[in-house]
Amino acid sequence: MRRIVLAVAAAALVAVLVAAPASAGGASLATVQDRYEPGDIATVVAYVGPGSAGGWVDDGPYFTYAEVGPNRRVPLGRLGLEPTRFGPAIQRVSLTFVVPEDVPAGHYQLVTCNAGCTKGLGELAGGTLNVGVDPVQPVVREWPPDEFEIVNLPPGARTTWPSAPAPPIASPPTTVSTPARTLPRLAQPPTPATATSHDASPLALALGGAVAAVCVGMVLVALRDG
């Protein structure tokens, strides 16, 4: 029976470990503008960390493509990688390109991979390029507050980034003042040992009651026999 329980627990653990990467989200290339027209100069930016199934900086260079049809990818250019103030585990990736003239209006998925498309870049999951149409839903750009492309965003654009811990609040300056004169506090007299305490435990009360009952019974027996 013990072996069966251990086997079931191990299978459940494996299932959780396998399912976790599949449900985890990844970084996405976000466009500076919500939509572009053919011939426009477009820019995409993302902040990327390592991924369990993707390549990393040393596996580059990396290139980004727009999927414009079944088995058809339009190359957009080589993706630039830059270190960030967040350490070597976070890379800023960006690409500026001209939107192809022969691309009809639509929403196009962006794909990034290295030469030969043998590996992706870390946790980068892709992105969407809106050509001649508005986005299906508002574009959320996962950029830190100091990303310089933020000034080029359209009005009302939304960015998000994990909040940093708030700095500790400085204590206000201490004001030196003369304390008011107070009378010394008188010592409280000790509690007499014979005083009844209201904090007696229920167990003590029960034992006391039992002893009293026994004593009363003995007295009654003695009176009856007498």
Side-chain angles (χ1 to χ4, degrees):
M1 183 63 181
R2 182 180 178 183
R3 292 182 179 179
I4 295 176
V5 173
L6 292 176
V8 172
L13 178 60
V14 170
V16 170
L17 294 177
V18 170
S23 60
S28 297
L29 288 169
T31 56
V32 174
Q33 299 300 317
D34 290 345
R35 61 178 283 176
Y36 294 97
E37 304 297 330
D40 285 351
I41 297 178
T43 299
V44 293
V45 178
Y47 285 76
V48 183
S52 60
W56 195 229
V57 178
D58 295 338
D59 299 308
Y62 291 90
F63 303 89
T64 298
Y65 306 84
E67 291 188 334
V68 298
N71 302 321
R72 184 191 173 197
R73 291 180 176 177
V74 175
L76 300 178
R78 177 175 172 173
L79 198 67
L81 280 72
E82 306 171 60
T84 67
R85 63 183 174 89
F86 307 107
I90 301 295
Q91 293 282 314
R92 179 186 185 272
V93 299
S94 62
L95 173 64
T96 299
F97 58 94
V98 177
V99 179
E101 295 279 1
D102 58 345
V103 172
H107 310 283
Y108 299 102
Q109 290 296 314
L110 300 177
V111 178
T112 298
C113 54
N114 63 354
C117 274
T118 58
K119 290 184 178 181
L121 175 59
E123 63 173 353
L124 186 61
T128 302
L129 176 65
N130 304 300
V131 179
V133 292
D134 292 330
V136 175
Q137 56 187 4
V139 179
V140 179
R141 299 158 176 92
E142 297 179 347
W143 299 349
D146 58 351
E147 166 57 45
F148 60 84
E149 288 290 354
I150 289 179
V151 298
N152 298 319
L153 294 177
R158 177 186 171 192
T159 61
T160 180
W161 189 255
S163 300
I169 300 175
S171 300
T174 303
T175 302
V176 179
S177 61
T178 303
R181 184 179 179 184
T182 57
L183 296 176
R185 185 178 180 183
L186 299 178
Q188 298 294 326
T191 303
T194 57
T196 301
S197 173
H198 294 285
D199 296 330
S201 66
L203 178 60
L205 294 176
L207 291 176
V211 171
V214 171
C215 292
V216 171
M218 293 176 64
V219 170
L220 292 176
V221 170
L223 291 175
R224 186 189 63 186
D225 293 342

